[in-house]
Amino acid sequence: MSERTIIPFGPQHPVLPEPIHLDLVVEDEKVIEAIPSIGFIHRGLERLVEKKDYVDYVYVAERICGICSFIHGLTYCMAIEELMKVQVPDRAQYLRIIWSELSRIHSHLLWLGLTADSFGFESMFMQSWRLREQILDIIEETTGGRVIFGSAKIGGVRRDISSVKMDEIMKKMNVYRKDIAQLCEQFMKDQTVKHRMQGVGLLSRADAISLGAVGPMLRGSGIAQDIRSTGYSGYDRIGFTPVTETAGDCYARCMVRMREMDASFVMIEQCVGKMTDGPIEVKVTGNPAGEFFMRSEQPRGEAIYYAKANGTKFLSRLRVRTPTFANIPPLLATLAGCQLADVPVIVLTIDPCISCAER
Amino acid sequence: MGMLSRSPWVIHYDGSSCNGCDIEVLAALMPRFDVERFGVVNTGNPKHADILLLTGSINEQNKPVVLNIYNQMPEPKVVLAVGICATSGGIFRECYNVLGGVDKVLPVDVYVPGCAVRPESIIDAVVKGVGILEEKRAAFKAAGKA
Ligand code: SF4
C-alpha cells in the first residue's frame, strides 16, 4: 500500500472565488477522503434580526448571497407575508417569477464559466460570461442593480416593468436564448468535456436521497424534486415540470443546468403572456406573529427559511438553510475515490456558493 | 510609466463577503470590461502578486489567512479594499462574527465603495493602486532595498 498524504485545498485556491477548505487525504493520485473545514465567511447574519426590523431585514436577506440575491430576498418576504396573511397581487407575483428566472439564467451561466475554467476551457469561460453580461443588462434595466436587485419587498415588488420595456426585453431574450443554447451545445458535445465529466463524481440515486442532496445535484441523479412545483409565488399558474437526468455524474448535473436555463426562458415568456395590468404591491401594516417555514428553489437547490415572530417589529428567530450547505455531504461522498485532478471539477459541479452556505 | 505599472498582477481573496463583490471582480476580467488589455493579470499565487484585492470583511477565522497571503507577497505591495463590506463591514458590521473592514488587520491603500461595487470602479481602483505601487517602488529604491 502506498503512503497517505494530506493535500490542503483552499481556502485560497485559483478555481474558487470563495474560500472553502478541504483536506484531501490521497494515496498516489487517488483521493481517499475529503475533510472539510468551513466557517471562513461566517458572518452571523441570522442574529441581525434582533437589530434590524422585519422590513429592513429584506436588504440583509438579499445579501446572504450575491448570486441568488433576489430569490433570498423573495423567500424571506414570502415567509413574512405568510405570517402576516398578506395576499400579493398577481402582477407582483409574475414580476417576481421573471426576476427569479433571470437570476437562475445568470447564475447557471456563471457556473458554466467557472466549470469550464476549472479544466482550462478558458474561451468557454469568456463566452458564457459575455452572455451573462447581457442578462445582467436586462436585470439592470429593470431593477437598477446588477448583483443586488433590491426590488423585492414585503407585500409585493418595488418596481414595475412597462409593457413597452417588456416587449423590448422579450425581443432580446429570444436572441439570447438561441445564443445560450448554441453555447451549451458546444460545451456538451465537446470530446474533452465528455472525457472529463462522464462517469466522474458519481452520486447514486439512493445516496442522493440519504445524503440529502438538493437542486441539480439531486435532479442529476434522477429524482424529480423541484420546489417550484409546490407552486409558490404563482409558479402553479405556469406550466412547469422538473428537469431530470439519470446518470448521476458530473455530466448529468451539467445537463440539468443547461436544460433548466432553457426552461427558464420558457417560463419568462409564459409570465409575460399572462401578465395583466394591476397593482404591484399592497400596503402592509402591523407586525408579524407566529412561525413559518418557507421553501424556495434557488439555482443551486432548495433553500429553507424558518421565521419566528413575536408580534413586535423584530423577529425572534430566523433560520436559513441554503442549498450549498445541504450539498456538502453528497460532495464529500462523491470526492472519495476520485482522482486528484478531478477534485476542482467535482467541487464545481455542485455549484458551490460558500457565502450562503456559511451566512 | 514604470515597470510594475505596465502589468500589475492581482490576487483576489474573499474575506467574508456575500459573493456579490467577488462576482463583480471576476466580471471585470470578462470580455466586456477585460482588464487584461491593460496588462492586469489575475493570479492565484500570492508570491507573484503586486496587488491584493480583498472583498468582504474580516473575522477571526479568516484573519490568519488574509495575513498569510499578505505576508507572502513580495514588496512593494498595495492593498485594495473592494466593496462596503471590506471598507467598513457595511451591512454586516453589527454581526457578532464581523470584526470590521480590512483596515483592522492590513494597511489599506485604496477604498472602493459600493454594494455591490461596479466593475468600472474596480478597474478605477486598480489604476489608482498601480500609481501607489509605483510610488512605493520609488521609495523602496531610494531606501536602497531594490
Ligand atoms: S459590499 Fe455588498 S455586495 Fe459586496 S460583499 Fe458586501 S454585502 Fe455583498
Side-chain angles (χ1 to χ4, degrees):
Chain A
M1 200 181 93
S2 51
E3 216 171 300
R4 292 200 169 179
T5 323
I6 296 183
I7 299 185
F9 179 84
Q12 189 263 330
H13 191 279
V15 300
L16 297 170
E18 297 173 277
I20 181 170
H21 181 84
L22 296 173
D23 275 324
L24 302 171
V25 183
V26 293
E27 239 169 46
D28 291 340
E29 286 281 296
K30 196 166 169 226
V31 178
I32 305 296
E33 198 189 356
I35 306 161
S37 57
I38 57 173
F40 292 96
I41 346 185
H42 178 64
R43 283 152 283 169
L45 48 77
E46 288 170 2
R47 276 280 287 278
L48 267 192
V49 288
E50 294 166 7
K51 298 195 177 117
K52 304 220 187 273
D53 67 36
Y54 75 94
V55 179
D56 282 353
Y57 196 81
V58 182
Y59 298 111
V60 183
E62 282 210 307
R63 285 165 178 83
I64 287 178
C65 167
I67 307 175
C68 8
S69 62
F70 180 77
I71 311 185
H72 270 294
L74 172 63
T75 318
Y76 171 78
C77 288
M78 287 191 300
I80 302 296
E81 280 155 8
E82 283 294 333
L83 285 178
M84 303 181 75
K85 309 270 172 308
V86 175
Q87 181 58 38
V88 179
D90 283 357
R91 190 173 175 87
Q93 295 202 341
Y94 285 129
L95 285 168
R96 284 175 169 189
I97 298 183
I98 293 178
W99 281 317
S100 301
E101 294 312 315
L102 282 170
S103 310
R104 198 176 315 276
I105 297 170
H106 99 69
S107 167
H108 283 351
L109 281 172
L110 179 153
W111 154 84
L112 171 63
L114 292 179
T115 309
D117 186 50
S118 74
F119 47 79
F121 198 166
E122 210 43 53
S123 58
M124 176 61 73
F125 178 43
M126 292 284 173
Q127 286 298 341
S128 70
W129 279 62
R130 182 181 62 84
L131 292 177
R132 177 177 169 269
E133 281 294 328
Q134 298 175 331
I135 303 289
L136 287 188
D137 280 348
I138 295 182
I139 292 173
E140 193 176 354
E141 277 168 27
T142 52
T143 68
R146 277 165 57 89
V147 174
I148 308 281
F149 305 2
S151 53
K153 76 184 271 191
I154 295 171
V157 289
R158 220 171 280 275
R159 292 179 191 84
D160 203 350
I161 307 178
S162 69
S163 55
V164 181
K165 186 96 229 166
M166 198 72 94
D167 289 343
E168 224 176 87
I169 291 173
M170 285 322 289
K171 265 196 212 111
K172 286 191 204 159
M173 291 287 270
N174 286 334
V175 181
Y176 301 163
R177 186 178 171 188
K178 281 192 206 97
D179 288 351
I180 290 173
Q182 201 186 3
L183 193 76
C184 293
E185 197 186 311
Q186 275 165 8
F187 184 78
M188 297 318 276
K189 286 215 173 124
D190 192 281
Q191 264 309 321
T192 320
V193 172
K194 281 189 185 161
H195 184 68
R196 289 299 302 269
M197 291 197 161
Q198 277 175 343
V200 174
L202 274 175
L203 182 71
S204 70
R205 192 185 155 93
D207 279 351
I209 298 175
S210 65
L211 294 170
V214 294
M217 188 94 174
L218 183 68
R219 293 194 285 278
S221 295
I223 298 153
Q225 184 188 324
D226 189 316
I227 309 304
R228 282 176 286 173
S229 48
T230 60
Y232 68 85
S233 182
Y235 272 109
D236 48 355
R237 269 172 272 159
I238 55 176
F240 170 72
T241 39
V243 174
T244 54
E245 290 285 331
T246 48
D249 55 3
C250 290
Y251 193 77
R253 298 197 270 277
C254 293
M255 206 65 201
V256 169
R257 293 199 178 89
M258 308 261 172
R259 287 172 50 204
E260 272 183 10
M261 271 195 268
D262 208 53
S264 293
F265 277 107
V266 178
M267 275 187 227
I268 294 175
E269 221 173 87
Q270 282 182 334
C271 285
V272 174
K274 290 196 178 165
M275 234 153 81
T276 47
D277 282 342
I280 56 163
E281 56 174 313
V282 288
K283 209 168 155 39
V284 178
T285 48
N287 293 324
E291 49 184 348
F292 193 72
F293 251 114
M294 186 71 219
R295 304 159 77 196
S296 70
E297 184 74 21
Q298 295 191 332
R300 288 162 186 73
E302 175 188 1
I304 301 174
Y305 271 61
Y306 166 75
K308 187 172 174 194
N310 50 12
T312 64
K313 270 197 340 205
F314 301 94
L315 301 182
S316 41
R317 180 81 171 97
L318 180 79
R319 172 88 180 92
V320 185
R321 206 286 326 264
T322 55
T324 304
F325 189 73
N327 272 336
I328 288 179
L331 168 69
L332 299 179
T334 48
L335 281 178
C338 77
Q339 292 292 311
L340 187 58
D342 289 333
V343 172
V345 181
I346 298 177
V347 170
L348 277 162
T349 50
I350 76 160
D351 198 0
C353 173
I354 313 298
S355 306
C356 66
E358 302 183 352
R359 303 176 304 285
Chain B
M1 229 208 299
M3 193 171 68
L4 283 177
S5 51
R6 272 177 226 266
S7 180
W9 284 37
V10 178
I11 183 167
H12 162 230
Y13 183 75
D14 168 6
S16 60
S17 79
C18 81
N19 214 347
C21 289
D22 309 304
I23 296 305
E24 293 295 61
V25 170
L26 286 184
L29 297 170
M30 290 309 110
R32 173 165 309 169
F33 300 102
D34 194 13
V35 287
E36 246 167 68
R37 70 200 146 122
F38 305 123
V40 181
V41 176
N42 185 23
T43 169
N45 188 342
K47 296 190 178 93
H48 296 167
D50 307 306
I51 295 180
L52 174 59
L53 201 157
L54 279 159
T55 53
S57 42
I58 297 294
N59 60 32
E60 286 298 339
Q61 176 98 337
N62 69 27
K63 204 159 117 186
V65 182
V66 170
L67 282 172
N68 191 0
I69 296 175
Y70 181 77
N71 291 335
Q72 287 186 51
M73 287 168 60
E75 292 282 355
K77 50 193 166 191
V78 166
V79 178
L80 315 181
V82 172
I84 276 299
C85 284
T87 60
S88 69
I91 194 164
F92 305 122
R93 83 180 291 153
E94 288 168 302
C95 290
Y96 59 82
N97 198 31
V98 171
L99 295 181
V102 173
D103 50 8
K104 287 265 189 294
V105 292
L106 294 181
V108 175
D109 296 289
V110 184
Y111 293 89
V112 194
C115 179
V117 284
R118 296 188 59 92
E120 291 93 334
S121 16
I122 298 175
I123 297 175
D124 259 5
V126 173
V127 170
K128 254 218 162 84
V130 164
I132 297 173
L133 193 66
E134 275 308 322
E135 278 167 29
K136 284 195 177 174
R137 184 167 160 264
F140 206 65
K141 246 190 164 162
K145 286 191 209 156

